[in-house]
Amino acid sequence: MHTPATSYRLAVDTDDGTFTVTARQTHTYRIHLAQGLITGAFSDHLRALAEQLEVSQIVLAIDAAAAEDHLGVIGAAVARTGLPMGVVQVPAANPGSLPDGLSSLVRAPQQRRPLLLGVGSDVVCTMVRTAAARHLPGLPYALVPTTVQAQIEAGTDSNPGVGHGAPDQRHGAYPHHHPAAVYIDPALTSTLPPRDVRAGLAEAIKLALIINPLLFHLLEKAAGPLPAGPALAAIVEQAVASRLMLLALEPERQLLALGHRVADPYQAATGHRILPGEAVAAGIAVAAAHAFLSGKSTLEHRDRILNLLAAYQLPVTLPVELRQPVWEAMAARRHASHDPLSVVIPQRPGLCTLIDDFDRPAYDKALDDLAARP
């Protein structure tokens, strides 16, 4: 998916695994994506970026899991730039907080102006983006996402369009403070538990349903053993391109809410025992069932969507005992916002639409339809 996309918000061009993104026509940054990037060209890219930004040190903000798996290789790449390196361990939760090690950067003398390099999950990437915007204005930052979901989302806001089209406010994010660069190496995800990889791929399935039938085909082809190596790199590249394309379009970007109307209350109802991607998969399944039952999709397309979710061992329904609490949470949000209960539904891979007539009978019928599948 290499068609450039442009809007007042975002312009995107691609060339050999590098996405050049111009945000709001004022800030340009590159997303470098390649299998083996971190052990290859990463240090050269990082050295060039440091020279461009005129920084005198690189500070890694990294969570414990990423540090255990990747600090050695990433630290070695940073060392090859010839710049001093600092390391700050950040919490795996509460991305709105600012660790003491980052707070000290606020007081650092100007001659020690660092480049902040966020390494880790989507939580860490959000924390670094928030820290750079809220606490460290003017401090440049770059991202090295290490999970599938983070790699798909790192070059953009974490959840634009989710929740009635508003930017993601749950983490206190500043959606228009953009990175200096993003470095995506799908090989970094090889240390993840299979469950985390599958949950991250739910985001790719969502994007395939919204805008990219080729990506849907790649995901179908790769189903079975979890995709790795070039197969995973191709999926991540297509997903990143799809997300950037959507963010450059209006009103299509609101379709990124696919699955979230059900997913957010579902995850909350489980006490966050399920992963965000797993909850999104269940939300997609409910939306696919409703699309079929309302005549906006076909049985073939419904089954193709549900079969792909199942192939990646993702949820394709809600537990019976959670039907009521999930609906109550959905209804409460509708009441609080005074808006109709709008839901994005997938009609077929590459085509979704937003409807505003989703009610309790439609919700129950969709879940009954899912429960009746063999």
Side-chain angles (χ1 to χ4, degrees):
M1 186 174 184
H2 296 289
T3 304
T6 303
S7 73
Y8 81 93
R9 179 181 292 106
L10 199 71
V12 183
D13 201 359
T14 65
D15 180 33
D16 293 333
T18 299
F19 299 87
T20 300
V21 182
T22 301
R24 291 187 174 269
Q25 302 180 357
T26 61
H27 181 82
T28 297
Y29 61 96
R30 286 184 174 173
I31 302 171
H32 301 276
L33 192 160
Q35 181 79 4
L37 174 67
I38 298 302
T39 54
F42 174 53
S43 58
D44 291 335
H45 290 316
L46 199 57
R47 183 186 301 111
L49 181 65
E51 292 174 357
Q52 173 192 334
L53 297 172
E54 298 182 339
V55 298
S56 56
Q57 65 174 325
I58 297 174
V59 175
L60 271 64
I62 189 168
D63 64 18
E68 180 178 351
D69 293 332
H70 308 302
L71 182 56
V73 67
I74 292 175
V78 173
R80 288 195 294 273
T81 67
L83 291 173
M85 180 182 72
V87 178
V88 175
Q89 187 159 312
V90 300
N94 193 15
S97 65
L98 188 68
D100 292 341
L102 293 185
S103 298
S104 66
L105 296 179
V106 180
R107 302 183 294 274
Q110 186 63 30
Q111 62 267 28
R112 291 181 55 227
R113 180 173 183 256
L115 169 66
L116 183 59
L117 188 63
V119 182
S121 68
D122 55 314
V123 173
V124 173
C125 292
T126 298
M127 190 280 303
V128 168
R129 178 181 280 112
T130 302
R134 177 184 290 176
H135 304 286
L136 309 169
L139 185 74
Y141 73 95
L143 299 173
V144 182
T146 60
T147 67
V148 175
Q149 180 172 339
Q151 292 187 346
I152 293 171
E153 295 181 345
T156 60
D157 310 345
S158 57
N159 270 309
V162 175
H164 308 292
D168 184 8
Q169 301 298 326
R170 293 171 298 165
H171 297 157
Y174 285 70
H176 303 304
H177 188 79
H178 300 284
V182 178
Y183 304 99
I184 299 175
D185 184 351
L188 293 177
T189 68
S190 64
T191 60
L192 295 174
R195 181 186 176 192
D196 289 50
V197 176
R198 295 186 183 101
L201 289 171
E203 185 69 20
I205 294 172
K206 181 181 83 172
L207 291 162
L209 288 169
I210 296 171
I211 198 172
N212 193 340
L214 171 61
L215 175 56
F216 197 91
H217 175 71
L218 286 176
L219 286 159
E220 287 180 316
K221 186 177 179 181
L226 279 178
L232 180 60
I235 289 170
V236 171
E237 181 175 3
Q238 287 288 321
V240 170
S242 299
R243 188 174 177 84
L244 291 170
M245 177 73 75
L246 277 169
L247 290 175
L249 300 174
E250 189 68 49
E252 287 85 352
R253 68 196 312 262
Q254 67 184 327
L255 299 177
L256 283 165
L258 173 63
H260 284 271
R261 178 66 78 177
V262 169
D264 297 341
Y266 175 33
Q267 193 182 19
T270 67
H272 294 271
R273 290 189 303 274
I274 63 170
L275 300 174
E278 294 170 333
V280 167
I284 290 172
V286 172
H290 179 64
F292 164 62
L293 293 171
S294 60
K296 296 180 175 63
S297 182
T298 65
L299 179 63
E300 177 186 358
H301 288 312
R302 183 208 70 172
D303 285 347
R304 192 178 174 197
I305 293 167
L306 297 179
N307 288 341
L308 183 61
L309 293 171
Y312 285 98
Q313 299 179 33
L314 293 165
V316 290
T317 189
L318 299 180
V320 174
E321 66 274 14
L322 293 183
R323 278 194 184 194
Q324 182 65 23
V326 169
W327 175 258
E328 288 175 354
M330 292 168 63
R333 290 189 182 189
R334 175 183 59 179
H335 180 75
S337 64
H338 305 289
D339 289 332
L341 193 56
S342 58
V343 173
V344 178
I345 59 171
Q347 296 175 266
R348 65 173 185 269
L351 180 63
C352 290
T353 190
L354 183 69
I355 62 167
D356 60 7
D357 59 352
F358 194 67
D359 55 15
R360 179 59 189 265
Y363 171 79
D364 286 333
K365 287 178 181 178
L367 289 173
D368 290 342
D369 179 66
L370 294 172
R373 292 185 78 240

